[in-house]
């Protein structure tokens, strides 16, 4: 994902290697190179500014001037500052004191929500939990069927609206565990939770509708679902390849639904991806998981330190 960023940073550090002492102009040049590398990777400007400011301050300070190996010290500083951008620590999922734990997924259409629902479901199942997926995306005619396919692949049951009039679109089916006919995603979500309670599922993952761009109706619908089901986590799923639009999108979702955590999807892509790296810093919400492919197992807990090492490798 970050090969060009990694390569650019590696080249910058290489220029410093073997220098016994760094002059102010060495530091300035290094900081300029790092800045360019981040901007080219699509990292958001305010994040780049902060980042390079901190690096410059620290690089001109005693920790570098007194270091035996100043170049190595700079790499260490960049590593620490990268970890800071990425959120420092992994925050584990908040689990409900009384089951079920409810996790709501939100994000733009195509961001990878439905795929993530399967991955999360499988992840819980592999840990011995009993997850249920709830199809509350009634916007896209195929979304319910798609979640059913995903659920089947993951071996996780799906609570879905009954075949019939769904959101004014064509009929959907086949029927999952749901038995009624719905037009209202809030109702589906609520009934899904009730179903989980009565059947003793201990984790409920609620897939919600996305649009191609942020719109008010979508946000209101997501907010209504959130208010109705009071999830333990609202995870905002963002396609790491969406470039600079990541920041604006994340801010819109933060204003609209005040999500509790971020999932970066499509981290396996070869696009620049830096914008997604800005999301934690810009929204103050932790990146909790990364999706790294279309398969149900292409999913990992996000570790800021490991990601920083990967970028600096
Ligand atoms: P949704 O509209 O947000 O539910 O998005 P989907 O889950 O339907 O995903 C949209 C497309 O992206 C599908 O073709 C998925 O197979 C693909 N996709 C989802 N997550 C990933 C990922 O981590 N990596 C890659 N390469 N593709 C992904």
């Amino acid at each position: 994902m970050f090969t060009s960023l990694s390569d650019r940073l590696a080249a910058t550090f290489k220029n410093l290697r073997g220098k016994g002492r760094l002059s102010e102009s060495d530091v300035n040049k290094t900081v300029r190179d790092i800045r360019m590398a981040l901007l080219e990777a699509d990292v958001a400007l305010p994040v780049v500014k902060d980042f390079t400011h901190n690096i410059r301050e620290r690089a001109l300070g005693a920790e570098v001037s007194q270091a035996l190996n100043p170049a190595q010290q700079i790499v260490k500083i960049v590593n620490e500052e990268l970890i800071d951008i990425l959120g420092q620590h992994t925050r584990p999922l908040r689990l409900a004191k009384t089951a079920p734990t409810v996790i709501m997924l939100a994000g733009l259409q195509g961001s990878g929500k439905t795929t993530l629902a399967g991955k999360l479901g499988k992840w819980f199942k592999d840990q011995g939990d009993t997850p249920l997926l709830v199809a509350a995306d009634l916007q896209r005619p195929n979304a319910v069927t798609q979640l059913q396919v995903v659920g089947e692949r993951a071996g996780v049951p799906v609570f879905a609206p009954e075949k019939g009039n769904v959101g004014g679109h064509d009929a959907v089916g086949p029927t999952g565990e749901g038995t009624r006919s719905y037009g209202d995603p809030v109702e589906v979500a609520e009934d899904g939770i009730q179903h989980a309670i009565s059947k003793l599922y201990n984790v409920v993952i609620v897939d919600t509708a996305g649009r191609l761009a942020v719109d008010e109706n979508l946000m209101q619908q997501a907010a209504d679902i959130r208010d109705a089901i009071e999830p333990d986590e609202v995870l905002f799923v963002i396609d790491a390849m969406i470039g600079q639009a990541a920041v604006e999108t994340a801010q819109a979702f933060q204003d609209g639904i005040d999500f509790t955590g971020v999932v970066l999807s499509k981290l396996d892509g070869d696009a620049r991806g830096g914008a997604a790296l800005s999301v934690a810093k810009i929204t103050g919400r932790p990146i909790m998981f990364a999706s790294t492919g279309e398969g149900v197992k292409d999913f990992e807990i996000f570790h800021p330190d490991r990601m920083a090492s990967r970028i600096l490798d």
Side-chain angles (χ1 to χ4, degrees), residues 125-162:
K125 191 177 163 213
D126 289 347
Q127 297 179 75
D129 289 300
T130 50
L132 175 72
L133 310 184
V134 173
D137 175 359
L138 309 187
Q139 217 66 41
R140 235 175 353 119
N142 277 331
V144 175
T145 324
Q146 196 195 334
L147 188 70
Q148 285 168 323
V149 171
V150 160
E152 208 159 289
R153 217 174 278 159
V156 177
V158 176
F159 179 90
E162 171 76 333

Side-chain angles (χ1 to χ4, degrees), residues 4 9 22 33 37 48 67-68 76 93 104 135 138 147 158 178 191 193 196-197 200 216 221 240 252 255 300 313:
S4 67
L9 292 175
L22 300 186
D33 288 349
V48 174
L68 283 177
K76 182 166 172 279
L93 276 171
M104 171 177 161
L138 309 187
L147 188 70
V158 176
D191 286 2
I193 310 284
I197 292 169
L200 303 180
E216 266 178 43
Q221 183 184 96
D255 292 346
E300 53 193 67
D313 238 3

Side-chain angles (χ1 to χ4, degrees), residues 108 110-115 140 146 266 268 291-294:
L108 293 181
S111 60
K113 286 182 299 300
T114 307
T115 311
R140 235 175 353 119
Q146 196 195 334
K266 310 193 190 177
D268 52 309
S291 258
T292 54
E294 295 187 88

Side-chain angles (χ1 to χ4, degrees), residues 65-251:
S65 64
Q66 288 167 14
L68 283 177
N69 186 334
Q72 236 169 36
Q73 196 63 22
I74 297 255
V75 177
K76 182 166 172 279
I77 291 172
V78 171
N79 183 50
E80 286 168 6
E81 295 291 332
L82 261 180
I83 293 173
D84 182 60
I85 291 185
L86 295 171
Q88 291 285 356
H89 304 289
T90 306
R91 176 168 77 65
L93 276 171
R94 279 186 213 130
L95 301 178
K97 286 199 184 78
T98 314
T101 291
V102 177
I103 299 170
M104 171 177 161
L105 308 181
L108 293 181
Q109 185 177 315
S111 60
K113 286 182 299 300
T114 307
T115 311
L116 175 73
K119 294 175 180 185
L120 260 180
K122 172 148 179 50
W123 184 70
F124 275 110
K125 191 177 163 213
D126 289 347
Q127 297 179 75
D129 289 300
T130 50
L132 175 72
L133 310 184
V134 173
D137 175 359
L138 309 187
Q139 217 66 41
R140 235 175 353 119
N142 277 331
V144 175
T145 324
Q146 196 195 334
L147 188 70
Q148 285 168 323
V149 171
V150 160
E152 208 159 289
R153 217 174 278 159
V156 177
V158 176
F159 179 90
E162 171 76 333
K163 194 180 176 103
N165 176 27
V166 175
H169 289 293
D170 292 338
V172 291
T175 312
E177 293 214 351
T179 51
R180 284 176 44 194
S181 172
Y182 303 92
D184 178 6
V186 176
E187 241 178 76
V188 174
E190 284 175 325
D191 286 2
I193 310 284
Q194 283 313 315
H195 183 79
I197 292 169
S198 67
K199 301 279 184 198
L200 303 180
Y201 290 103
N202 74 347
V203 179
V204 186
I205 298 161
V206 182
D207 190 21
T208 66
R211 305 272 163 85
L212 287 175
V214 172
D215 87 45
E216 266 178 43
N217 287 341
L218 153 80
M219 212 54 90
Q220 192 55 50
Q221 183 184 96
D224 290 345
I225 295 175
R226 182 203 57 193
D227 292 346
I229 64 176
E230 298 181 348
D232 300 284
E233 295 277 7
V234 180
L235 300 184
F236 167 59
V237 185
I238 184 153
D239 177 343
M241 304 207 276
I242 80 171
Q244 285 293 345
V247 169
E248 215 175 286
T249 309
Q251 277 170 335

Side-chain angles (χ1 to χ4, degrees), residues 243-286:
Q244 285 293 345
V247 169
E248 215 175 286
T249 309
Q251 277 170 335
F253 273 87
Q254 189 176 29
D255 292 346
I257 55 164
D258 195 19
F259 54 82
T260 58
V262 178
V263 179
L264 295 183
S265 73
K266 310 193 190 177
L267 267 190
D268 52 309
D270 56 4
R272 294 176 286 186
L277 292 185
S278 323
V279 164
K281 193 78 184 167
I282 295 248
T283 64
R285 296 287 180 269

